[in-house]
Amino acid sequence: MAEPNMIYLVRHGEKAGVGSDPELTPQGRARAQSIATILHRTGIKAIYSTPTQRTLQTAQPLAQRLGVEVQHYDPRAPRALVEKVKALGGTVLVVGHSNTLPELVKLFGGAPGADILDDEFDRVYQLINGADGKVSTVLLTSVPAAQ
């Protein structure tokens, strides 16, 4: 199996209102641009997102910059996503939700840390697969771009 050398996981940006499928706020869109700026030179070969507007809008700026198509995954089937990503190799971005990212981080072998709060949107996980098979977890922060 061709383990990816690095996996980035982020939560979608700030969302407008509640509802079942809200879009990003202007601040959330700015954060998506910030994430694209942070990650555009990391060698990402594939981007995965749940099929909600807020996650897709978070993934889109980086996808456009890299010329990569965003692939959808089912947040209720995290193991299927992990298997697909592990089979790929290369560097990957996964965009998810506050209630799904910690489990994904664990399934990829990383350390999720504290629960993600409902109003927390700035966590960027960097999971580095070492030659020894161990996964190092680095926690980065995205900031919304100046508006």
Side-chain angles (χ1 to χ4, degrees):
M1 194 151 34
E3 290 278 323
N5 56 353
M6 215 165 304
I7 303 167
Y8 292 91
L9 298 102
V10 300
R11 180 186 182 190
H12 59 76
E14 289 82 347
K15 59 187 177 184
V18 282
S20 63
D21 191 12
E23 293 193 1
L24 293 180
T25 63
Q27 187 179 15
R29 290 182 199 281
R31 185 175 305 281
Q33 292 292 341
S34 172
I35 290 167
T37 299
I38 292 167
L39 298 180
H40 81 278
R41 290 192 177 122
T42 58
I44 288 173
K45 301 283 186 244
I47 299 174
Y48 291 91
S49 169
T50 64
T52 62
Q53 288 190 91
R54 60 193 177 276
T55 53
L56 292 169
Q57 289 170 351
T58 300
Q60 207 53 52
L62 181 62
Q64 286 175 331
R65 205 167 189 169
L66 299 177
V68 171
E69 191 173 321
V70 178
Q71 299 176 62
H72 295 186
Y73 73 92
D74 182 349
R76 295 164 302 195
R79 289 185 191 283
L81 172 68
V82 170
E83 292 309 311
K84 189 182 288 187
V85 168
K86 284 186 172 186
L88 268 183
T91 300
V92 174
L93 170 65
V94 176
V95 183
H97 304 268
S98 61
N99 62 340
T100 62
L101 282 182
E103 183 181 3
L104 282 170
V105 170
K106 276 187 221 162
L107 288 172
F108 280 119
D115 286 348
I116 300 172
L117 302 175
D118 201 42
D119 63 352
E120 183 183 353
F121 298 93
D122 65 350
R123 208 180 291 192
V124 178
Y125 291 98
Q126 179 188 45
L127 304 183
I128 304 163
N129 288 308
D132 60 0
K134 291 194 171 119
V135 176
S136 301
T137 304
V138 179
L139 204 48
L140 305 168
T141 301
S142 69
V143 293
Q147 298 181 20

